[in-house]
Amino acid sequence: MSFGKNINNVLVSVFNKEKLETILSTLKKNNSNIFSTGGTYDYIMQKGYEVTKVEDITDYPSILGGRVKTLHPKIFGGILARSKIKLDTEELNKYKIFPFELIIVDLYPFYQTVQETSDEKKIIEKIDIGGVSLIRAAAKNYEDVLVISNKSQYEDLAKILSNSKLLNTIETRKEFASNAFKNTFVYDRSIYKYFSNNHFLIEQDIDTTFKTRYGENPHQNAVFFGNLDETFLKLNGKEISYNNLLDINSAVQLISEFEEPTFAILKHNNACGIASRENMIDSWKNALKSDPVSAFGGVLICNRTIDSEIAKEINKIFFEVLIAPNFDEDALNILREKKNRIILKQKKFKFDSIEHRSVLGCILSQEKDTKIDTIEKKNIVTIKKPSENEIDDLIFASKVCKNSKSNAIVLVKNKRLISSGVGQTSRVDALNHAIEKAKFFGNDISGGVMASDAFFPFPDCVEIAKKAGITSVIQPGGSIKDNLSIDYCNENNLSMVMSGIRHFKH
């Protein structure tokens, strides 16, 4: 076991001063010497703590409007000097440099500035030079220096300062050094993204992670990178698993497509039930009718508040996760009867415009599919035109189909998913599966509509759909044999819309 190290000299240079006073108070109790510059120096003085200006050490003023303050051999010599190297100690004495044991830095908010303004001059001025240099120097010399590279580490620092002789070990300093390099990596990545205009770069903050219960299967380990607390407030339940996260992501993507009161049930990233009605209780009951078997152990999501009436109904089945924008207190009391049931209150957040996946040990990135199918006169390619109710159903079906695994066929009637065939290698298989499933659960297809995520190369799907009772179809079109499907529809009194937008999802 290694011994801790006393902290005599501390350099503080932070942009965000929040919660800094707690650290200053502890440093004072420990009789540590505090050095600072610029706005941080002014803040420490205003709070009544003794502090020495960096300029008093370097005998050089802050210049270029504050662009150069700490970049000086007397500062970096004190950070990079190795206590176990005789030559380093001799040079410190020769040039009257004293060593620092603690560096506290919080960088200029470059990423936040880019989000808030397009003014290039303001953005450029928020590129931190001295702060990053201080962090990297201290992290490199972790054997002698403890580095705090983000205000989120203040709480941990306070614990260390409470007993530095015991807690400020080389193992601790190495851990903080690792976090420091991670923080500067994320910071530099944001700057590179701005200058290169490469919007495909992964933006998730790798400083925030949690280990899931296990991966896709119990024998696999998995880690989530990012801050889930920015998206959800967890109100109940066990730890969120890898598979839960995949289903939650699919659920959130799907429900975002709908404005009116809508309830959806998902299993293995696909909707097995979804309905839109004037109120949530009817939406829930109709969504459940689609496939009450698959709903068992599923992920539930809605876009309105869950009240006690709805809670009593959904409490009748077993499910893994429930997501809603809000919950009545009475509803929560009912839902919390099952302690493992995951209940998430969804916060308002902005979807990332880029999605990523691992491929061949590399990362494959693409723009998200944000296109929404619309039905205009020019998109209707058949003699028969869809009715207003059919148009509503076609748009509804298209939204569900867009969020289903390819090959996908979706059957809808009265803004309710009747059935779907998803993840099939053949579009015909997907349609036949949807029809058989609808029959199994006693869901009437006649008068319903069909959506396909890609074009029909042959008229076989519209033939099968017609025989099953489908009256209108939406598909992207684009096959060199589109006319075969159009001709069949015209000959058999079906309406068809060609959206011009394919929605593959693999």
Side-chain angles (χ1 to χ4, degrees):
M1 177 182 173
S2 62
F3 293 100
K5 183 179 176 73
N6 281 332
I7 294 174
N8 299 311
N9 299 313
V10 183
L11 178 60
V12 186
S13 179
V14 298
F15 180 85
N16 191 315
K17 316 315 190 271
E18 186 182 356
K19 297 182 180 179
L20 180 61
E21 190 171 3
T22 303
I23 302 301
L24 297 173
S25 174
T26 309
L27 290 172
K28 182 180 179 180
K29 289 178 185 175
N30 292 352
N31 295 316
S32 299
N33 303 310
I34 304 173
F35 300 85
S36 191
T37 187
T40 310
Y41 171 84
D42 294 338
Y43 173 85
I44 297 172
M45 285 288 289
Q46 288 169 9
K47 292 296 180 180
Y49 295 96
E50 190 173 331
V51 57
T52 302
K53 266 190 177 182
V54 165
E55 290 89 330
D56 292 342
I57 305 172
T58 63
D59 292 324
Y60 218 90
S62 171
I63 61 173
L64 306 180
R67 280 190 164 196
V68 180
K69 296 188 284 282
T70 57
L71 296 169
H72 193 280
K74 284 201 170 183
I75 300 299
F76 282 84
I79 297 171
L80 288 164
R82 297 157 292 185
S83 61
K84 294 178 181 178
I85 304 297
K86 185 179 179 183
L87 178 62
D88 286 12
T89 304
E90 289 174 350
E91 289 188 339
L92 287 183
N93 292 329
K94 179 179 179 180
Y95 297 108
K96 298 180 180 179
I97 300 172
F98 48 80
F100 289 99
E101 292 82 26
L102 172 61
I103 304 297
I104 304 175
V105 177
D106 183 67
L107 299 171
Y108 290 164
F110 178 82
Y111 175 77
Q112 291 84 346
T113 305
V114 171
Q115 302 303 306
E116 294 167 2
T117 182
S118 58
D119 187 328
E120 186 167 291
K121 287 186 177 179
K122 289 183 179 178
I123 291 171
I124 296 301
E125 286 308 310
K126 285 298 184 286
I127 298 176
D128 205 316
I129 303 300
V132 172
S133 301
L134 291 170
I135 289 171
R136 290 178 64 84
K140 178 177 180 177
N141 196 25
Y142 69 87
E143 290 195 4
D144 289 292
V145 184
L146 174 64
V147 57
I148 301 301
S149 55
N150 190 291
K151 63 181 184 295
S152 64
Q153 299 170 331
Y154 287 174
E155 189 175 333
D156 291 330
L157 175 59
K159 292 176 184 176
I160 294 169
L161 292 175
S162 68
N163 192 345
S164 59
K165 257 194 168 180
L166 179 65
L167 301 176
N168 184 23
T169 63
I170 190 168
E171 292 83 8
T172 298
R173 294 194 296 275
K174 189 172 184 179
E175 182 181 346
F176 276 85
S178 173
N179 285 325
F181 285 121
K182 185 160 53 173
N183 287 337
T184 58
F185 163 71
V186 172
Y187 193 79
D188 285 341
R189 182 184 58 191
S190 294
I191 297 170
Y192 166 67
K193 180 177 179 179
Y194 173 76
F195 276 91
S196 67
N197 199 27
N198 183 355
H199 64 292
F200 284 104
L201 283 176
I202 297 174
E203 274 300 325
Q204 277 68 30
D205 182 1
I206 63 169
D207 192 44
T208 308
T209 66
F210 71 84
K211 191 173 182 180
T212 64
R213 294 202 306 275
Y214 49 78
E216 205 158 5
N217 299 292
H219 61 274
Q220 295 170 272
N221 292 320
V223 176
F224 177 84
F225 292 91
N227 189 355
L228 205 61
D229 293 338
E230 293 179 355
T231 311
F232 300 106
L233 174 63
K234 188 178 177 189
L235 301 173
N236 190 68
K238 59 187 176 183
E239 292 178 6
I240 297 174
S241 73
Y242 178 97
N243 290 330
N244 288 155
L245 286 165
L246 294 179
D247 283 326
I248 289 168
N249 179 64
S250 296
V252 171
Q253 301 281 0
L254 174 62
I255 206 69
S256 70
E257 306 267 5
F258 298 88
E259 296 292 335
E260 57 190 315
T262 303
F263 220 119
I265 307 166
L266 287 90
K267 198 73 171 286
H268 296 293
N269 309 151
N270 294 296
C272 58
I274 180 169
S276 294
R277 292 292 182 267
E278 292 184 358
N279 58 70
M280 290 312 303
I281 190 70
D282 287 342
S283 295
W284 161 252
K285 289 179 178 178
N286 279 276
L288 187 60
K289 285 179 184 177
S290 301
D291 183 353
V293 173
S294 294
F296 182 88
V299 169
L300 317 182
I301 189 166
C302 66
N303 56 5
R304 297 291 191 277
T305 298
I306 295 287
D307 60 24
S308 59
E309 181 185 14
I310 305 166
K312 287 175 185 175
E313 287 297 319
I314 61 179
N315 201 41
K316 294 175 182 177
I317 72 165
F318 168 74
F319 59 89
E320 283 270 335
V321 182
L322 173 61
I323 309 164
N326 212 346
F327 296 83
D328 288 349
E329 196 59 40
D330 289 343
L332 281 176
N333 291 335
I334 294 167
L335 296 167
R336 282 172 171 159
E337 290 174 2
K338 302 285 194 323
K339 65 178 183 178
N340 285 333
R341 179 183 284 161
I342 298 168
I343 302 174
L344 301 174
K345 179 179 177 180
Q346 185 177 331
K347 301 177 183 179
K348 290 184 179 180
F349 72 100
K350 185 179 179 182
F351 284 106
D352 194 348
S353 60
I354 304 296
E355 55 189 14
H356 314 273
R357 62 169 66 186
S358 174
V359 176
L360 301 172
C362 302
I363 295 174
L364 183 65
S365 302
Q366 70 168 353
E367 295 176 341
K368 275 188 61 177
D369 181 3
T370 56
K371 293 283 187 180
I372 298 173
D373 292 348
T374 57
I375 298 177
E376 302 173 15
K377 192 173 181 180
K378 64 181 180 181
N379 302 125
I380 302 171
V381 296
T382 50
I383 296 169
K384 183 185 178 184
K385 311 304 177 190
S387 67
E388 287 188 15
N389 286 340
E390 285 175 332
I391 287 174
D392 288 343
D393 281 348
L394 288 169
I395 293 173
F396 185 100
S398 171
K399 291 175 178 178
V400 178
C401 197
K402 170 187 168 182
N403 288 276
S404 300
K405 297 290 185 182
S406 298
N407 287 309
I409 292 287
V410 169
L411 308 180
V412 164
K413 185 176 178 181
N414 298 326
K415 294 184 183 178
R416 175 171 83 86
L417 176 64
I418 298 300
S419 185
S420 64
V422 298
Q424 300 298 313
T425 53
S426 158
R427 199 159 301 282
V428 172
D429 286 348
L431 175 54
N432 284 328
H433 177 75
I435 293 169
E436 289 304 312
K437 192 173 181 180
K439 290 178 180 177
F440 180 82
F441 289 111
N443 291 318
D444 184 19
I445 300 172
S446 60
V449 306
M450 174 175 74
S452 173
D453 61 345
F455 64 64
F456 300 124
F458 304 102
D460 44 9
C461 281
V462 287
E463 292 176 19
I464 297 168
K466 167 65 178 177
K467 291 174 184 175
I470 293 297
T471 58
S472 192
V473 177
I474 186 168
Q475 55 123 334
S479 169
I480 59 174
K481 296 182 180 180
D482 276 345
N483 63 297
L484 296 180
S485 294
I486 296 170
D487 290 345
Y488 180 87
C489 289
N490 284 333
E491 292 165 5
N492 291 274
N493 201 33
L494 288 171
S495 59
M496 179 182 284
V497 175
M498 288 189 177
S499 65
I501 304 170
R502 191 180 75 182
H503 292 296
F504 270 164
K505 187 181 182 195
H506 295 104

